[in-house]
Amino acid sequence: MTMTHADESTSEAYVRDRMVEDAAPPSSSVGAIGWMRANLFSSIPNTILTLLGIYIVYLVVPPLIEFTLVNAVWEGEDRTACAQAHGACWPYVEAYFWTFIYGRYPDPERWRVNLTFFLFAIGLVPLLVPQMPFKREGLIYMLAFFPVAALILLTGGDFTYAGFFLPMPEGELRFWIEFLLVAAAVTGGIYLLTREAGGNAKGTALSILAGFGVLAALFFVASIDFGLVEVETPLWGGLLVTLVIAVTGIAASLPIGIALALGRRSNLPIVRLISVIFIEFWRGVPLITVLFMSSVMLPLFLPEGITFDKLLRALIGVALFASAYMAEVVRGGLQAIGKGQYEGAMALGLRYWQMMSKIILPQALTLVIPGIVNTFIGLFKDTTLVLIIGLFDLLGIIQSSYTDPNWASPTQSHTGYLVAALIFWVFCFSMSRYSIYMERRLDTGHKR
Amino acid sequence: MSESTGAAAAVSEPPRLKISDEIAIEMVGVNKWYGDFHVLKDIDLTVKRGERIVICGPSGSGKSTMIRCINRLEEHQRGNIVVDGIELTDDLKRIDEIRREVGMVFQHFNLFPHLTILENCTLAPIWVRKMPKKEAEDIAMHYLERVKIPEQALKYPGQLSGGQQQRVAIARSLCMNPRIMLFDEPTSALDPEMIKEVLDVMVGLAEEGMTMLCVTHEMGFARQVANRVIFMDYGQIIEQNEPELFFDNPQHDRTKLFLSQILH
C-alpha cells in the first residue's frame, strides 16, 4: 500500500492536491453557548434538571447571604447588639473565637498550642507537596520528633510514674521494673509464636524489642521536667481537641489498618484469626459504645487507684476503631492486585516484606486512596462524639458557649453551628481535594 | 538416528553449543494435586546446564505447573526437585536462593505498573542482590539495550506495547543474572506481529548458552533452538526427543494428534 501525499507530484489528474481549509465550527458548538448546550440543555430531562437546580440555588443562596451578610450584626460588646438581630451575630463569634480554638486552655500557655500547630504544619507541608525534598527526614520528624514534642508541649511533660502491679512501694523504680517484665514477656511470647509458625523469629523479636525501646525512650523523655506548667487534658478543648483526636486517629489507623489487612490475608492461622477477631469486634460496636466503655466501664476493671487520662482513653478507642475500618479498606485494595504481581515479585526473589512494601502495597494503597480518605474524613467528623464522655471538641465547645447569658440571642446558635460547619467543611474538603490530587499524580496511566 | 539429525541440522542450522554434563535441574517422581485433581504424575526430568528445552502439550496438561514447581510458585507434594544443586523444601532460605538463580518470564508479563521500566529492572538487584543503585541501573540499561528498548527506560509499563513489555520482562529477569530461565508461554498473549521481536530475544539468549525451559507452541522456535522437545498430556511427560525427530517422526498417538492440530 502506498500513501499519496498532496505535495508529491502525481500524474493522475483526478487526485486532488489541495485540501479544503478547515471551516470554523458553528457558534452553537463552541464558546459559552456551546458549553451550555452540551452540559446544561443537551436533552429535555437535562434541561428540566438544570432549571430545577437553578431554582434550588435560588431558594438556598439568597437567604444564606441575607443571614450571613446583609442582616448580620458586625459590631457589639454583648448580647444587646444581637438581641433584635435577624442575621448572624458575628461579635459573639469574635468574642468566643479563641475559645473555639483552644477551649479552656489557660491564656498564658496558649503559645504552646500555637507552637504545636506550627511544628505540625512545617512537618506536614514537605510531606504533602511531592516536589519538596527531604521526604525521609520529614517522615522521621513527623513520626519521631513531632509526637514527643506535641505531647510535652501540650501537657507540660514532667510525668511521674507510680507503677501498677508489683508488690513494692510505688514509684519510678516499680514502673520501670514492670516495664522490663512486660517487654520481656511480650517479646518472648511473640518469639515463641513466630518460631512455631516457621517465621523469622529472631528478626520479629528484635523489631518488637526495638519497639519497646522506643516506648521506653518516650516514657523517659516525657518524665523530664522542662519547666512547663502542667495543663490537664480536661482544660483542653475546641479545635485543639478535634485535631488531637483526628490526627492521632489518622496517624495510628493507617499503619495498624495495613498490618491488620495483611494479617487477615496471612497464611499463618493464628495471625489471621487474631486479625479477624480484632476487626470484627471493633467494626461490630458503635463508636459511642466504645467511648462509653472507655470512660465508664474501663475504670471498673482497673485496679483501685489507677486512672488513665480520659482523653488518652478516647484517643486509643478512636484509633483502634478507625484501624478496623482502615483494615477493610486496605484489604479491598489488596484483593484488587492480581496474582501475577505476587508471582512476578516472588520469581525475582523478593521476600515477603519486600514484596509487600515495594510492589503490592504501593499499588493497593493507590487504588484505595478514595476509601482511605473517606475513612479519614469520617473519623474527623466522628471526633464530635467525644462530647458524650465530657470532652469538649470544636462542636462541643461551641454548644457549651450557648449557655453564656452574656451572648444569649435569637441567632446565637445558628451562628455557632454555621461556624462549626464551616470549619469542619474546610478541613474535610481540603482532605478530599488533596486525595483527588494524589490519585491523579500516582496514576501511571494503565493498570497492569 | 544420526542420519536424520544430520539432515535436520543442514536445514535449520541450529546453534550447537556444548552442553555440559553438569545437572541444572533434576526432578524425580514429582507429583502434585490441586485438591483431588492430579496435575503432575510422576514427573522425571533432568536438565543439563546449557540445555534448551521446549515443553508443549494441550492446555491443562500440567506444563505450566511443572515449570512453576521449579521456582516454587507451585508447591509439589511428592518427589524431589533439585535446582542448581539445591533441593527444594519448605525452607524459605533455599527457596529464596533458588529464586535468585532462576529467572522467569510470564505469559502476562507481570511487570510492576507503578514503577518505570528502569525501576522494574533495578528493583530486584537492589533489594535482593543488595547492589548499589548506580551499578544496578548500568546493568539494567545494558540489558534494555540488548532487548532493544533503552529509550523506553523512563516510561511506565502501561505506555508500552505487549511485545515491548515482554522484552522488558526478559530484561528484568536477566538483570538478576540468572543461571536458568523459565518461560511460561511468553508469546501467547501477544499480537502476531509482536511475537517475532520476543522470540528474537529468546533466540539470542539461547545462542549464549543460557539454560532454558520454555513452555510454548512456537514450533519454529522449538526447531530452531531447542535441544529437546517435551510433550506433556494429562500431567505426564508422554514423549521427549530432539526437535527434528519429535516433529518429523512422533512416536506416540497423542503426540501425533496434537502436532496435527497445531501444525495444521
Side-chain angles (χ1 to χ4, degrees):
Chain A
M1 199 163 60
T2 54
M3 300 292 268
T4 313
H5 291 290
D7 52 358
E8 279 172 26
S9 59
T10 46
S11 51
E12 287 90 343
Y14 54 81
V15 176
R16 160 188 274 196
D17 60 6
R18 180 162 302 162
M19 297 295 153
V20 177
E21 293 285 317
D22 286 352
S27 63
S28 60
S29 68
V30 288
I33 296 173
W35 184 87
M36 275 163 63
R37 271 178 85 117
N39 293 297
L40 299 178
F41 305 101
S42 57
S43 65
I44 293 172
N46 278 356
T47 308
I48 294 173
L49 286 177
T50 302
L51 295 176
L52 202 66
I54 292 172
Y55 180 62
I56 292 172
V57 169
Y58 164 76
L59 281 185
V60 173
V61 174
L64 198 65
I65 291 175
E66 222 161 81
F67 180 82
T68 55
L69 302 174
V70 181
N71 291 340
V73 177
W74 297 93
E75 309 258 328
E77 293 304 317
D78 57 14
R79 65 176 298 276
T80 50
C82 300
Q84 303 300 320
H86 295 287
C89 183
W90 295 122
Y92 147 72
V93 175
E94 200 187 331
Y96 263 97
F97 187 75
W98 299 113
T99 311
F100 292 170
I101 306 292
Y102 304 108
R104 293 191 292 127
Y105 207 91
D107 250 339
E109 304 300 325
R110 283 183 181 174
W111 63 271
R112 280 153 55 177
V113 181
N114 292 338
L115 183 58
T116 310
F117 286 163
F118 175 73
L119 289 178
F120 181 67
I122 60 169
L124 194 64
V125 168
L127 287 186
L128 292 189
V129 181
Q131 291 82 5
M132 302 262 278
F134 306 120
K135 284 273 175 288
R136 182 189 298 257
E137 291 81 353
L139 203 63
I140 293 171
Y141 168 88
M142 277 308 253
L143 292 180
F145 174 75
F146 175 72
V148 179
L151 177 74
I152 289 166
L153 275 173
L154 292 178
T155 61
D158 195 14
F159 285 79
T160 49
Y161 309 116
F164 297 99
F165 53 82
L166 281 183
M168 56 186 284
E170 286 192 3
E172 305 263 312
L173 184 67
R174 183 166 88 149
F175 173 79
W176 286 112
I177 292 176
E178 285 171 359
F179 184 87
L180 285 178
L181 284 178
V182 171
V186 172
T187 313
I190 288 180
Y191 176 80
L192 291 179
L193 267 182
T194 32
R195 205 179 55 180
E196 277 310 295
N200 178 9
K202 210 171 180 181
T204 316
L206 278 178
S207 49
I208 301 271
L209 216 53
F212 274 109
V214 170
L215 208 58
L218 180 69
F219 279 128
F220 175 71
V221 173
S223 71
I224 298 173
D225 184 2
F226 288 93
L228 295 168
V229 182
E230 189 188 357
V231 181
E232 289 180 325
T233 54
L235 294 176
W236 303 16
L239 189 63
L240 170 64
V241 161
T242 297
L243 285 179
V244 165
I245 298 174
V247 169
T248 315
I250 286 172
S253 68
L254 192 60
I256 300 177
I258 290 172
L260 285 170
L262 292 177
R264 195 167 183 167
R265 287 169 60 86
S266 164
N267 292 326
L268 308 173
I270 304 174
V271 176
R272 196 167 57 226
L273 186 69
I274 293 173
S275 306
V276 170
I277 291 174
F278 185 95
I279 293 170
E280 295 306 333
F281 172 76
W282 288 99
R283 280 205 311 166
V285 290
L287 182 55
I288 292 188
T289 315
V290 174
L291 293 172
F292 260 132
M293 289 285 275
S294 75
S295 80
V296 183
M297 299 287 281
L298 196 64
L300 296 181
F301 297 123
L302 288 175
E304 195 85 12
I306 290 179
T307 51
F308 273 114
D309 188 90
K310 199 194 271 177
L311 179 66
L312 179 66
R313 278 178 288 168
L315 279 180
I316 294 172
V318 168
L320 295 183
F321 185 82
S323 304
Y325 278 87
M326 192 58 70
E328 290 297 279
V329 171
V330 174
R331 192 166 66 97
L334 290 175
Q335 270 169 354
I337 305 299
K339 210 172 144 216
Q341 292 292 307
Y342 290 87
E343 289 178 349
M346 285 194 283
L348 285 171
L350 295 180
R351 294 177 166 227
Y352 178 81
W353 287 110
Q354 291 174 331
M355 170 171 80
M356 283 302 166
S357 63
K358 307 282 169 215
I359 308 298
I360 306 300
L361 281 175
Q363 295 183 60
L365 293 180
T366 311
L367 278 178
V368 293
I369 285 176
I372 291 175
V373 176
N374 205 18
T375 311
F376 285 170
I377 290 177
L379 170 66
F380 192 86
K381 293 188 292 190
D382 279 351
T383 57
T384 51
L385 290 175
V386 298
L387 180 63
I388 61 153
I389 58 166
L391 294 171
F392 288 92
D393 74 309
L394 178 62
L395 186 66
I397 211 98
I398 289 178
Q399 275 180 324
S400 74
S401 73
Y402 298 162
T403 56
D404 180 359
N406 279 335
W407 284 102
S409 72
T411 56
Q412 185 194 16
S413 63
H414 301 80
T415 313
Y417 284 128
L418 200 66
V419 170
L422 189 69
I423 295 178
F424 275 105
W425 183 80
V426 165
F427 277 97
C428 296
F429 186 67
S430 323
M431 284 195 261
S432 162
R433 296 312 298 180
Y434 183 72
S435 93
I436 291 174
Y437 164 74
M438 267 335 263
E439 253 175 82
R440 290 220 186 101
R441 198 188 141 75
L442 293 176
D443 183 14
T444 54
H446 309 263
K447 295 294 161 220
R448 252 174 286 288
Chain B
M1 184 165 162
S2 59
E3 222 177 78
S4 62
T5 315
V11 176
S12 64
E13 201 69 56
R16 284 282 177 245
L17 282 159
K18 277 214 182 86
I19 299 167
S20 80
D21 288 335
E22 204 183 326
I23 290 170
I25 301 167
E26 184 157 41
M27 303 174 94
V28 181
V30 171
N31 279 276
K32 177 172 176 59
W33 289 262
Y34 286 127
D36 287 340
F37 179 53
H38 201 169
V39 214
L40 296 180
K41 297 170 188 160
D42 291 320
I43 300 286
D44 293 313
L45 176 68
T46 306
V47 182
K48 301 233 174 78
R49 194 162 297 293
E51 230 185 331
R52 298 172 297 280
I53 294 177
V54 163
I55 302 157
C56 59
S59 67
S61 59
K63 44 195 196 311
S64 284
T65 310
M66 183 177 84
I67 70 163
R68 288 156 61 90
C69 280
I70 294 171
N71 64 352
R72 232 339 140 93
L73 290 184
E74 302 283 354
E75 202 176 326
H76 62 284
Q77 276 111 16
R78 199 184 294 161
N80 297 314
I81 302 178
V82 179
V83 183
D84 218 28
I86 306 162
E87 176 158 14
L88 257 180
T89 59
D90 286 334
D91 187 354
L92 288 175
K93 279 214 179 85
R94 291 189 187 188
I95 295 175
D96 283 340
E97 226 170 298
I98 288 173
R99 283 176 181 167
R100 278 198 290 267
E101 304 305 329
V102 179
M104 185 158 198
V105 175
F106 300 86
Q107 181 178 0
H108 295 289
F109 331 136
N110 297 356
L111 294 177
F112 308 130
H114 62 303
L115 300 177
T116 62
I117 300 306
L118 189 62
E119 287 165 341
N120 263 279
C121 293
T122 56
L123 184 93
I126 290 174
W127 292 99
V128 180
R129 291 241 188 262
K130 312 288 178 204
M131 202 181 270
K133 191 172 174 215
K134 183 78 191 58
E135 194 186 338
E137 282 177 355
D138 290 345
I139 290 175
M141 285 314 292
H142 167 77
Y143 283 113
L144 286 176
E145 260 156 46
R146 232 186 93 169
V147 301
K148 300 192 180 66
I149 35 176
E151 71 282 359
Q152 313 283 3
L154 298 179
K155 288 191 183 169
Y156 287 94
Q159 296 165 299
L160 269 54
S161 75
Q164 289 174 322
Q165 289 193 46
Q166 193 60 296
R167 284 185 281 153
V168 172
I170 295 174
R172 181 177 73 174
S173 286
L174 293 178
C175 285
M176 284 293 283
N177 197 18
R179 307 183 68 167
I180 299 165
M181 283 287 283
L182 308 174
F183 293 85
D184 188 1
E185 306 209 28
T187 56
S188 302
L190 297 176
D191 290 337
E193 76 270 23
M194 295 173 183
I195 290 177
K196 188 174 178 299
E197 64 189 50
V198 172
L199 289 181
D200 284 346
V201 171
M202 291 168 63
V203 170
L205 262 184
E207 282 168 356
E208 286 174 19
M210 176 68 80
T211 311
M212 293 166 68
L213 269 82
C214 188
V215 174
T216 183
H217 292 155
E218 294 298 329
M219 292 309 153
F221 172 77
R223 271 184 193 271
Q224 194 183 346
V225 304
N227 309 104
R228 191 161 26 135
V229 180
I230 291 178
F231 174 70
M232 284 183 75
D233 202 2
Y234 299 110
Q236 288 166 303
I237 294 179
I238 304 287
E239 186 169 349
Q240 48 181 315
N241 216 330
E242 290 173 32
E244 298 78 23
L245 290 171
F246 179 86
F247 289 115
D248 301 337
N249 191 13
Q251 300 298 307
H252 208 284
D253 284 344
R254 273 191 267 174
T255 319
K256 286 176 193 163
L257 180 66
F258 176 74
L259 287 177
S260 73
Q261 278 165 346
I262 65 161
L263 296 174
H264 307 296

